[in-house]
Amino acid sequence: MLLGITSQNHDASMALIDGDKILWAAHAERYSRIKNDTLLNEEMIKEMREYGEPKQILWFEQPFPKSLRKLWAGQRPWLCKPREELKKVGLNHLPVEYIDHHESHAAAGFYTSKFQDASVLVADAVGEWATVSIWEASSKGLKLKWHKIYPDSIGLFYTAFTQYLGLKPNEEEYILMGMAAFGKKYSSLIDKIKDDFFVKFEGPDFKLRHNLHRGCKWWVRPEDATDYDIAACVQAIMEEYLLRTTEWIKRTLPSENFVFMGGCALNCVANSLLAKIYKNIWIMPNPGDAGSAIGAVAAHTKKHLDWQGPYLGTDIKQDLDIDTVINELLSGNVVGVANGRAEFGPRALGNRSLLCDPRGPDAKDRMNAIKCREKFRPFAPAVLEEYAFDHFEMPVKVSPYMQFVAQCRDPRSFPGICHQDKSSRVQTVNTADNPTFRKLLEVWYEKTGCPMLMNTSLNIKGEPLVNTWKDAKRFEILNGVKVF
Ligand SMILES: [Fe+2]
């Protein structure tokens, strides 16, 4: 039994794996209740032990080269100390093997896919040194074909602009992506950003003018450029880079299958463009560093995992009272659901979700009364898989993990789940993915003729996703919303 660990980064996590079975996988934040917690905690280790006792640890990163890079970059603290942390949480007796950061990402993607061979693209802010890497994956394992190293990083470029726009770097990149639809994407601003930030901009190769690790607050924008315009142009540059790189991979490597991993693979707008290049695309639903807890183990075993879905965390062992939930929804109420195993990944996919009727002009306002989000941000729809194409121009056949956006065919009827550009981040639901959530949607469809529900994460503002039934009850008290 092997334990994969991601820690001392921006989203600590663990995964317990036996052979090809992922027994349990979870984020530290769900237990400590500290959003994006960087360290492991005893509570999660106690739960992990309910599933088995590991014999070895696979750590998602090489501490020595990472420490060297941090020292070189003048970052503090520069020394990475995995053993000290393992000692604190009572795991120091186990042997540890350290796995390369980008290799962990690539392995998390390839070995959870159904592909026997694949071309793998990894793009994030930075691992030890790598920022972009391209791999050829086959039964022989993962072969590194190309990589780019720090400080040249397309992920850091995007993160620097996240901070420039007053958002939290390494956390709120998705808000920058959402803002982009409200801005003007015009060539003079795109060219200025490229000129000011890149010495070379090709695909996959590029070179930055500056180390962007400390942001780019010094950048002077053109007077007429709004925050939204800057977001639109930064997003356009990211899309152009990823498109060119993926086209280069398609031309260069033989596989018809494509795997995309790393923090940049959370950009669902860009993902949808890449899905047009490769018919067979797989993005593991936790493509950032947290998912590398699984990847570190897979890179060690070099074997495919029996991927059954992302419901791998804390188990709330109770049946969902579907009829009561439906009655609440029919009364126009927002309803929380917390049952089964928690999602491993950033999205609530029906086991820790807040739901409401997506129809009508006030759906978003009803949800926003609880979520208090920026008004411009839409909520996502969860739709019965077989009706997804009736309502959305899907770039992929199925999207069970909300990783792609699709144009809504009838945005007037469903304004709450449509963004400014009429796109929606769709979750398709079938019985194999999540039988309880599927049943709920089926009953909703029988009663209303509407095959979808608005689905967002069940969390108190500023807190991680609800994890336990106790968290769910706390949510209920603080928000006045029933949770079933
Ligand atoms: Fe990463």
Side-chain angles (χ1 to χ4, degrees):
M1 210 169 285
L2 301 169
L3 181 65
I5 294 182
T6 296
S7 190
Q8 302 179 23
N9 214 307
H10 43 78
D11 192 4
S13 71
M14 296 170 89
L16 186 68
I17 295 174
D18 187 17
D20 66 350
K21 300 270 179 291
I22 307 169
L23 303 178
W24 171 91
H27 299 249
E29 62 163 22
R30 309 278 165 86
Y31 303 82
S32 67
R33 310 309 297 159
I34 300 165
K35 206 161 186 235
N36 295 112
D37 199 349
T38 58
L39 298 172
L40 308 173
N41 56 72
E42 285 173 8
E43 195 62 31
M44 76 185 300
I45 286 158
K46 200 171 124 200
E47 186 177 287
M48 176 270 290
R49 287 201 158 115
E50 290 170 18
Y51 290 86
E53 194 58 42
K55 296 277 179 288
Q56 187 183 354
I57 289 171
L58 287 310
W59 188 275
F60 86 115
E61 215 164 45
Q62 302 272 5
F64 183 63
K66 188 179 177 182
S67 298
L68 273 186
R69 192 258 300 157
K70 286 173 89 176
L71 181 67
W72 180 84
Q75 276 178 272
R76 286 185 195 171
W78 63 273
L79 195 59
C80 305
K81 298 173 179 169
R83 277 288 179 193
E84 269 189 25
E85 191 185 357
L86 293 174
K87 202 171 168 185
K88 271 186 202 157
V89 294
L91 294 172
N92 201 30
H93 59 290
L94 293 169
V96 181
E97 185 183 327
Y98 300 100
I99 310 282
D100 173 87
H101 184 119
H102 269 224
E103 190 181 352
S104 302
H105 276 310
F110 178 57
Y111 292 115
T112 56
S113 79
K114 301 272 181 257
F115 304 144
Q116 292 312 303
D117 61 80
S119 303
V120 184
L121 170 63
V122 179
D124 62 7
V126 61
E128 294 88 356
W129 285 90
T131 63
V132 180
S133 60
I134 296 168
W135 305 75
E136 203 169 10
S138 68
S139 56
K140 291 180 195 148
L142 289 156
K143 198 169 162 196
L144 180 65
K145 300 302 283 187
W146 185 89
H147 75 297
K148 191 83 204 163
I149 63 164
Y150 179 89
D152 294 314
S153 165
I154 196 74
L156 272 182
F157 163 76
Y158 201 86
T159 292
F161 271 97
T162 302
Q163 188 187 32
Y164 182 86
L165 296 175
L167 304 167
K168 248 191 215 165
N170 289 322
E171 195 178 319
E172 295 188 329
E173 282 72 10
Y174 69 98
I175 300 183
L176 186 156
M177 186 184 72
M179 288 171 68
F182 287 80
K184 290 193 295 296
K185 202 163 54 177
Y186 51 98
S187 55
S188 63
L189 183 55
I190 291 174
D191 290 346
K192 177 171 172 51
I193 295 174
K194 278 190 196 166
D195 285 349
D196 289 353
F197 286 88
F198 292 89
V199 179
K200 179 177 173 186
F201 185 81
E202 291 167 7
D205 206 8
F206 64 99
K207 185 159 184 53
L208 286 168
R209 283 188 193 283
H210 316 275
N211 185 340
L212 297 177
H213 220 142
R214 290 193 180 82
C216 61
K217 291 227 165 173
W218 44 264
W219 184 61
V220 181
R221 68 170 82 188
E223 270 180 20
D224 57 345
T226 67
D227 282 358
Y228 293 112
D229 295 343
I230 291 167
C233 293
V234 167
Q235 173 68 20
I237 290 168
M238 174 62 103
E239 287 169 13
E240 184 184 337
Y241 176 75
L242 292 174
L243 268 171
R244 279 204 207 164
T245 300
T246 306
E247 278 161 359
W248 181 87
I249 293 169
K250 182 98 194 259
R251 283 197 306 275
T252 311
L253 299 179
S255 182
E256 290 296 313
N257 307 315
F258 182 61
V259 173
F260 183 28
M261 292 294 290
C264 297
L266 288 163
N267 193 311
C268 51
V269 179
N271 292 349
S272 308
L273 300 173
L274 306 190
K276 290 175 186 160
I277 301 175
Y278 276 96
K279 210 168 68 196
N280 306 325
I281 181 169
W282 169 252
I283 302 169
M284 189 250 209
N286 203 350
D289 287 358
S292 288
I294 290 176
V297 173
H300 168 84
T301 58
K302 298 182 173 45
K303 288 202 169 78
H304 274 83
L305 293 159
D306 178 21
W307 178 257
Q308 296 288 325
Y311 306 99
L312 296 162
T314 296
D315 199 356
I316 297 181
K317 287 181 180 135
Q318 60 191 33
D319 294 331
L320 184 66
D321 183 351
I322 288 175
D323 290 340
T324 310
V325 172
I326 294 290
N327 287 336
E328 285 287 328
L329 292 167
L330 287 171
S331 305
N333 294 329
V334 175
V335 184
V337 290
N339 71 97
R341 295 189 70 176
E343 291 87 346
F344 181 57
R347 312 262 173 257
L349 299 167
N351 282 11
R352 303 289 188 275
S353 285
L354 205 52
L355 308 170
C356 87
D357 186 346
R359 298 168 298 175
D362 64 336
K364 188 155 82 174
D365 292 340
R366 275 183 286 141
M367 192 61 101
N368 246 335
I370 298 146
K371 294 291 284 188
C372 314
R373 268 190 185 179
E374 296 87 350
K375 279 245 180 308
F376 64 83
R377 284 174 54 207
F379 292 101
V383 58
L384 289 171
E385 186 180 282
E386 63 273 33
Y387 295 106
F389 279 82
D390 293 349
H391 291 274
F392 303 98
E393 292 170 29
M394 299 289 291
V396 285
K397 280 185 195 153
V398 292
S399 173
Y401 311 130
M402 287 189 188
Q403 294 168 307
F404 301 93
V405 295
Q407 290 300 116
C408 181
R409 296 186 197 277
D410 185 11
R412 281 190 180 185
S413 300
F414 303 98
I417 49 111
C418 291
H419 202 24
Q420 176 75 359
D421 57 3
K422 317 291 182 241
S423 68
S424 298
R425 197 183 62 210
V426 177
Q427 178 191 2
T428 56
V429 182
N430 68 27
T431 304
D433 292 330
N434 189 331
T436 306
F437 194 39
R438 168 76 195 190
K439 184 75 193 157
L440 176 68
L441 276 162
E442 282 174 356
V443 178
W444 173 251
Y445 179 58
E446 273 167 31
K447 299 268 184 199
T448 64
C450 172
M452 65 178 115
L453 282 167
M454 188 184 278
N455 176 16
T456 187
S457 52
L458 184 69
N459 68 307
I460 293 160
K461 193 172 164 55
E463 290 191 9
L465 213 61
V466 156
N467 198 44
T468 61
W469 187 242
K470 195 174 146 202
D471 298 335
K473 289 290 117 179
R474 185 166 165 265
F475 177 92
E476 195 170 88
I477 292 162
L478 289 176
N479 290 285
V481 171
K482 286 186 187 160
V483 183
F484 297 92

